[in-house]
Amino acid sequence: MDTKYLFKRHNTYWVKVAVPKDLRKELGFDLRTSLHTHELSEAQKLREAVVEGFKSQIFAAKENLKQSNGKGSVKTFMPITDTSDPQYYHKVVDCQYACPAHTPVPEYIRKISQNEYTEAYMINWESNVFPGILGRTCDRPCEPACRRTRTHEKPVAICRLKRVAADFKDDVSNLLPKAPSNSNGKKIALIGGGPASLTVARDLIVMGYECTLFEKDPQAGGLMRTNIPSFRLPEEVLDAEVNQILDMGLNTKFNSEITSLKNFLHEDFDAVFVGTGAPKGKDLNIEGRKEAKANIHIGIDFLTSIAFEHINSIGKKVIVLGGGNTAMDCCRSSLRLGAEDVKVVVRSPFSQMKASEWEIEDAMEENIPIFENHVPKKFIHDEGKLTGMEFQKVEAVFDAKGNRSLVPTDDDPVIIECDDVLVAIGQDNSFEWIERDIGLEFGEWDMPVVNPTTFQSTHPKVFFGGDAAWGPENIIWAAAHGHQAAISIHKFCQNEDINKRPEPGTNLVSQKMGLHEWSYDNDISQAKRFLVPKADQDVALKSLKIEVEKGFDENLAMEEAQRCLNCDVQTVFSESLCIECDACVDICPTDCINFMFNGPEDEVRQNIRIPALNIEQDLLVSKILPTKRTMFKDEDVCLHCGLCAERCPTGAWDMQTFLYEEAKVYS
Amino acid sequence: MTYIVKPVNHHPNLEKNKLGLTRRDYEGTISTLCAGCGHDSISAAVIEACYDLSISSDQIAKLSGIGCSSKSPSYFLNQAHGFNSVHGRMPSVATGANLGNKDLLYLGVSGDGDTAAIGIGQFMHAARRQLNITYIVENNGTYGLTKGQFSATNDQGSKSKYGEENVFAPIDLPTMAIQLGAGFVGRSFSGDKQQLVPLLKAAMKFEGFSLIDIISPCVTFNNHLGSTKSFDHIREHNESVSSLDFVPIGKEIKTTYKEGTKVDVPLHDGAMLTLEKLSKKYNPLDKGQAIQSLNEAEKNGKVLTGLLFINPEVKDHAEILNISDTPLNQLAEKELCPGAKKLAKINASLN
């Protein structure tokens, strides 16, 4: 099996190509693109295309460099790692680093393994605001990042452990912050009642801001309420976590859609946060769309109607178009509304479907077939009554840059009968209500120009976040945006420079308690990832309200928590103590540690005991040691077992817990 | 001591040898020696050498005496045969085992106390008889198990952890082994695997008595200022006589040396040792010169390391004694008892 330049992470192959260090300025750090697929053979093809495509680019860059400075042969050395930069150790904690809100994952998993669910919940609540909701619905960028995908196979079930914290916590109402008794006199308007606005509200209310939420629907929650079916996210879980914020002292105006930002800006607010999401489902304007419109529905509108109980039935035969999470929710909701024959039809190959792997699995477990490589051609109707759809079969072809095109095959058109079609092929933003003459600039794709760090638009008073800022993402991104926007709004209202961002809080504490005692559990569990128990399908499919996943019980949660490798317990190296006895090199189970002469990064990466091919992972580079050698530690597959520190005679290695707390407006 | 269990997981890209085994498959139980002990580095070097040579563990017997060094066979080659014998008596047990089954590869693991003090007589005779064994001395110059007294290899004037000076002159095991006729004598340092691993591989492939005296600092009792067996002292005074490449049969020689600086030494089975001479004067094939150089180095406070002496012509004890090609443990009654007819014939010849 040829896996050069391919990295497997949790059933997904990523194509990555290392770029020589001196060319990184021109070509970027590495040529990893967003090329990823579940199929090895496909990944290999992609890789070939990418490598070929970049060869000429690398060659040209090399020539350029030679001509420009003429000193291409000067030997470079890897710089000493600056571990005082909070991002170095942060990056070692792969899950936390991958989380947009930088939730301290290993920290709360340790709390769960100590049965301290409330503490685990509060750690989550601090970072991501909606632990119970996210514990069921998060897109889990943390899981493919989990070190276990590199050292074992499957990642820790981080998301479902988050749910455990929410499920088993005590009453947290006393632990939640309240608004101070005196307002600071500043008024903030939040447009849209979704996770981004709620996060901004939570952060600003405790600072004394008077926040007012404007929501077009009768309840707050945004897409969490309208787009996520109850069988994935029960209403009481949603209500509990949304109410936590409403009860802090948030003024709410429900059923109040803002139709003109121009007029709204005349109202008495010091700043406006726009968190209106991406509420417009894409339509499919092909033959027959107008005629058969009675039975063609837009996916997210369909889900919203179910949430507010405006719909309670659907035809017997349903086609769902699209391969994203909305499509998965649509097909499973259809089954529960009484459809007997539900099919998902996707334009792309199965392996490139946008939906999360587990959501696809859930749909397939409910016996919903997925047809890949079918491009919709027309709606077939009998005098306005929808009877079926016609599709063209295609094949995915990749060019040298990895761009995909869908080429029709010679097969005959495919006709699938149906009574209803749900179109879930993407979402757009909808900014008709923002006038274009108010000093708020719009850019590409008719999206507002938003500063990616401050979330400020070109109108200084108006801030954006969540899907409204850069298009559809996941709830966890909305929470991350909300925290940053709150910081900006605060600085803006206090006349501070909003470009100066607060530093994260960090803490590094030794775990050594005695000669051979460590205050963390460093046994490496060999257990396989535990599956979450599910409700009996016969029962679950009968109702929209029965939650399919039952969540881990306490025992399962404990076992799953043990699988965490404690990547936040860092291997900290002190050059001044090292006697270069090699004990750590000999004992390290994954051969991470090396003592050798320094050189250019590519050479070092090749020459260490086991070449460090995963360029996404850093090398810890020490200062020069008495024998003129340097210690290099490849962070890639370090198990954080602590054996290096245990076998070190002088304490040059120490295991220290690194806590990284993303700055909040109130911290 | 280490109380953490070493995880079974290894690096996903860990390579496999000809037998399909990874280096981790040659490990033993986790070491109970002090953290940082040089002996653990030697264990790692033995693991590396056996892995590189693709030797199956069941073809190896690990024999040892008593002491910190003699515990260490537990920490490598879990699947090999082994016998932890009486203090200083490892060579006798090795001789017996060797006579019983000469096909196994014998790794004798001993220390400076086990070899240069209580077992010195056994050591000398094993060398003299060309016992086919790789005799490893894990030499730290101190009695670590009994709290750091001077051993017989400790240099005169070297200081103990508590400050007093050693008043006796040391025994130099390589010099002694060369004089006694050992065919392969080397010295190395536990902290230099680049030198140690090829030396071990060559010694294992050598047929006859091969001694490797490995300076192995005792981090607990003999790694302080004033000790001549500390990491710092050895690093400062180490003088390597040669850089060694061990080339098994059928493998191309990759390293290139300047003309006149290279010596090729063929071994019995067709493998080849290639030495790069670091000192022009030094010739590892010349017994007299080897001893002279060792004496000079000692006078100058230097520690000579590398392959100090090799005699590729030497015959091992099985050849000298004309022992049957089939190992004795495989001979059944039929082969061992000549029968009545043969006896009558012998008797008749005596008349």
Side-chain angles (χ1 to χ4, degrees), chain A residues 524-655:
Chain A
I524 308 297
S525 161
Q526 299 300 336
K528 292 241 159 71
R529 181 180 165 115
F530 291 88
L531 294 175
V532 180
K534 289 185 177 173
D536 192 3
Q537 216 177 71
D538 295 339
V539 184
L541 288 181
K542 289 209 174 84
S543 163
L544 279 162
K545 303 267 178 197
I546 293 176
E547 193 176 11
V548 173
E549 284 198 10
K550 291 162 124 178
F552 286 134
D553 61 23
E554 285 190 78
N555 288 335
L556 277 175
M558 172 70 93
E559 297 266 3
E560 186 60 36
Q562 295 299 320
R563 294 182 70 239
C564 177
L565 294 173
N566 298 292
C567 298
D568 62 339
V569 182
Q570 305 282 351
T571 53
V572 178
F573 184 68
S574 313
E575 291 86 345
S576 58
L577 295 173
C578 178
I579 58 168
E580 299 177 68
C581 68
D582 279 0
C584 50
V585 178
D586 296 333
I587 198 71
C588 177
T590 48
D591 296 298
C592 300
I593 303 171
N594 302 269
F595 287 82
M596 53 179 236
F597 297 112
N598 203 338
E601 182 170 354
D602 303 311
E603 262 175 43
V604 171
R605 281 184 175 270
Q606 275 304 327
N607 293 344
I608 60 175
R609 271 157 82 90
I610 298 181
L613 301 175
N614 188 356
I615 43 175
E616 208 173 62
Q617 292 284 323
D618 286 336
L619 296 182
L620 175 64
V621 183
S622 79
K623 289 179 197 141
I624 199 157
L625 295 161
T627 60
K628 306 281 181 265
R629 296 181 301 173
T630 298
M631 191 289 302
F632 296 94
K633 185 203 160 206
D634 182 5
E635 300 283 6
D636 188 20
V637 290
C638 169
L639 296 167
H640 295 255
C641 64
L643 271 166
C644 49
E646 177 88 356
R647 297 298 296 168
C648 181
T650 60
W653 285 109
D654 192 20
M655 303 307 291

Side-chain angles (χ1 to χ4, degrees), chain A residues 402-422:
Chain A
N403 294 326
R404 189 192 75 185
S405 50
L406 299 173
V407 181
T409 63
D410 298 336
D411 297 297
D412 291 334
V414 178
I415 292 174
I416 301 176
E417 285 179 27
C418 64
D419 302 319
D420 280 292
V421 171
L422 302 174

Side-chain angles (χ1 to χ4, degrees), chain A residues 94-96 98-99 105 138-146 155 158-159:
Chain A
D94 295 288
C95 46
Q96 184 176 9
C99 175
V105 176
C138 189
D139 198 36
R140 324 173 190 174
C142 52
E143 292 193 12
C146 176
I158 300 170
C159 182

Side-chain angles (χ1 to χ4, degrees), chain B residues 187-188 192 195 234 237-244 276-280 282 302-308:
Chain B
R187 176 149 49 207
S188 192
D192 184 1
Q195 183 190 53
I234 299 297
H237 297 85
N238 188 344
E239 199 170 276
S240 178
V241 293
S242 55
S243 158
L244 184 88
E276 185 194 9
K277 291 203 289 178
L278 298 181
S279 147
K280 272 186 191 160
Y282 202 87
K302 295 281 181 194
V303 183
L304 279 198
T305 59
L307 179 56
L308 302 171

Side-chain angles (χ1 to χ4, degrees), chain A residues 37-88:
Chain A
T37 157
H38 303 312
E39 298 289 331
L40 177 61
S41 57
E42 207 165 274
Q44 283 167 333
K45 273 186 220 154
L46 274 176
R47 179 204 57 203
E48 265 167 42
V50 170
V51 172
E52 275 308 309
F54 283 126
K55 257 185 194 163
S56 56
Q57 234 177 304
I58 289 179
F59 180 77
K62 267 188 181 161
E63 287 297 304
N64 254 346
L65 199 76
K66 263 190 214 157
Q67 282 167 7
S68 62
N69 58 16
K71 48 176 182 177
S73 63
V74 173
K75 208 166 155 86
T76 53
F77 294 95
M78 281 194 77
I80 298 161
T81 304
D82 177 15
T83 53
S84 67
D85 175 354
Q87 295 309 327
Y88 181 78

Side-chain angles (χ1 to χ4, degrees), chain B residues 151-174:
Chain B
S151 82
T153 61
N154 197 295
D155 294 313
Q156 195 166 13
S158 178
K159 281 189 177 146
S160 80
K161 190 180 185 179
Y162 313 104
E164 71 270 35
E165 277 186 17
N166 182 18
V167 293
F168 295 113
I171 289 172
D172 188 68
L173 292 170

Side-chain angles (χ1 to χ4, degrees), chain B residues 87-230:
Chain B
H87 205 357
R89 271 60 184 165
M90 179 270 281
S92 299
V93 176
T95 307
N98 219 314
L99 288 171
N101 184 0
K102 70 188 185 65
D103 280 358
L104 291 183
L105 171 65
Y106 289 93
L107 287 181
V109 182
S110 183
D112 40 326
D114 199 55
T115 291
I118 191 169
I120 194 157
Q122 300 238 336
F123 164 73
M124 290 164 83
H125 290 288
R128 183 179 68 86
R129 289 178 190 146
Q130 295 298 344
L131 181 65
N132 189 2
I133 186 172
T134 301
Y135 195 116
I136 296 166
V137 178
E138 304 188 343
N139 184 354
N140 57 18
T142 190
Y143 294 149
L145 275 185
T146 53
K147 305 272 184 287
Q149 298 82 355
F150 297 120
S151 82
T153 61
N154 197 295
D155 294 313
Q156 195 166 13
S158 178
K159 281 189 177 146
S160 80
K161 190 180 185 179
Y162 313 104
E164 71 270 35
E165 277 186 17
N166 182 18
V167 293
F168 295 113
I171 289 172
D172 188 68
L173 292 170
T175 311
M176 185 185 270
I178 296 171
Q179 276 169 340
L180 290 165
F184 184 112
V185 178
R187 176 149 49 207
S188 192
F189 168 44
S190 67
D192 184 1
K193 284 206 196 70
Q194 260 173 319
Q195 183 190 53
L196 180 53
V197 173
L199 201 57
L200 273 168
K201 288 199 276 189
M204 285 184 202
K205 283 291 174 186
F206 185 81
E207 286 179 24
F209 189 83
S210 52
L211 168 77
I212 307 180
D213 177 35
I214 309 170
I215 315 288
S216 171
C218 172
V219 285
T220 306
F221 292 109
N222 206 6
N223 191 35
H224 43 266
L225 197 68
S227 157
T228 56
K229 295 238 177 340
S230 67

Side-chain angles (χ1 to χ4, degrees), chain A residues 116-402:
Chain A
E116 292 177 2
Y117 305 113
T118 306
E119 284 81 353
Y121 182 85
M122 289 312 292
I123 291 169
N124 269 293
W125 190 81
E126 187 79 23
S127 302
N128 53 51
V129 194
F130 308 103
I133 296 169
L134 287 166
R136 291 166 167 85
T137 62
C138 189
D139 198 36
R140 324 173 190 174
C142 52
E143 292 193 12
C146 176
R147 190 170 297 261
R148 279 233 169 213
T149 59
R150 309 195 295 272
T151 62
H152 293 71
E153 196 187 355
K154 294 214 166 167
V156 175
I158 300 170
C159 182
R160 294 320 186 236
L161 285 173
K162 190 193 303 291
R163 173 179 169 172
V164 166
D167 284 356
F168 296 105
K169 68 177 189 299
D170 299 326
D171 178 16
V172 295
S173 48
N174 288 331
L175 300 170
L176 302 176
K178 299 273 177 306
S181 43
N182 293 325
S183 141
N184 69 1
K186 302 279 183 188
K187 290 179 183 153
I188 313 296
L190 309 160
I191 305 179
S197 293
L198 290 171
T199 303
V200 176
R202 188 200 82 169
D203 285 3
L204 290 179
I205 287 171
V206 289
M207 300 293 289
Y209 288 87
E210 270 178 53
C211 296
T212 309
L213 183 84
F214 296 85
E215 166 60 54
K216 71 174 164 44
D217 286 330
Q219 279 169 294
L223 74 93
M224 304 191 290
R225 187 175 301 280
T226 58
N227 281 190
I228 300 176
S230 294
F231 57 84
R232 284 212 291 131
L233 174 61
E235 215 173 334
E236 54 280 11
V237 176
L238 174 66
D239 286 342
E241 288 186 342
V242 169
N243 289 341
Q244 277 171 359
I245 297 167
L246 303 187
D247 295 345
M248 284 169 76
L250 176 62
N251 306 320
T252 50
K253 306 254 192 242
F254 293 125
N255 300 312
S256 338
E257 186 167 1
I258 307 300
T259 51
S260 160
L261 185 61
K262 195 177 191 171
N263 294 341
F264 189 77
L265 285 173
H266 294 308
E267 292 192 29
D268 178 26
F269 288 109
D270 295 282
V272 176
F273 177 79
V274 179
T276 50
K280 206 169 78 179
K282 280 192 181 137
D283 203 348
L284 183 66
N285 289 315
I286 54 174
E287 196 184 325
R289 171 71 180 93
K290 273 184 198 148
E291 293 82 349
K293 66 177 182 205
N295 292 94
I296 301 169
H297 320 276
I298 300 296
I300 55 168
D301 297 343
F302 170 75
L303 292 174
T304 307
S305 305
I306 295 176
F308 291 115
E309 297 179 354
H310 299 151
I311 293 186
N312 50 24
S313 68
I314 194 162
K316 293 287 173 219
K317 292 178 188 164
V318 178
I319 293 177
V320 177
L321 299 176
N325 287 339
T326 305
M328 298 304 113
D329 285 338
C330 283
C331 65
R332 296 175 70 196
S333 297
S334 302
L335 271 191
R336 285 160 174 80
L337 283 175
E340 283 164 5
D341 175 10
V342 182
K343 294 185 175 78
V344 174
V345 186
V346 198
R347 287 159 48 96
S348 64
F350 183 80
S351 59
Q352 294 192 315
M353 279 171 66
K354 288 215 172 65
S356 314
E357 208 180 303
W358 49 90
E359 308 234 351
I360 298 174
E361 277 167 20
D362 285 346
M364 289 171 72
E365 263 177 40
E366 296 180 359
N367 297 318
I368 298 170
I370 297 173
F371 293 79
E372 58 173 351
N373 296 325
H374 279 63
V375 173
K377 281 288 152 200
K378 62 178 175 195
F379 295 99
I380 304 168
H381 59 93
D382 183 7
E383 291 177 9
K385 170 81 183 83
L386 185 72
T387 58
M389 277 195 79
E390 186 183 308
F391 297 92
Q392 169 69 54
K393 285 190 80 174
V394 293
E395 195 180 19
V397 178
F398 296 91
D399 70 5
K401 282 185 180 169

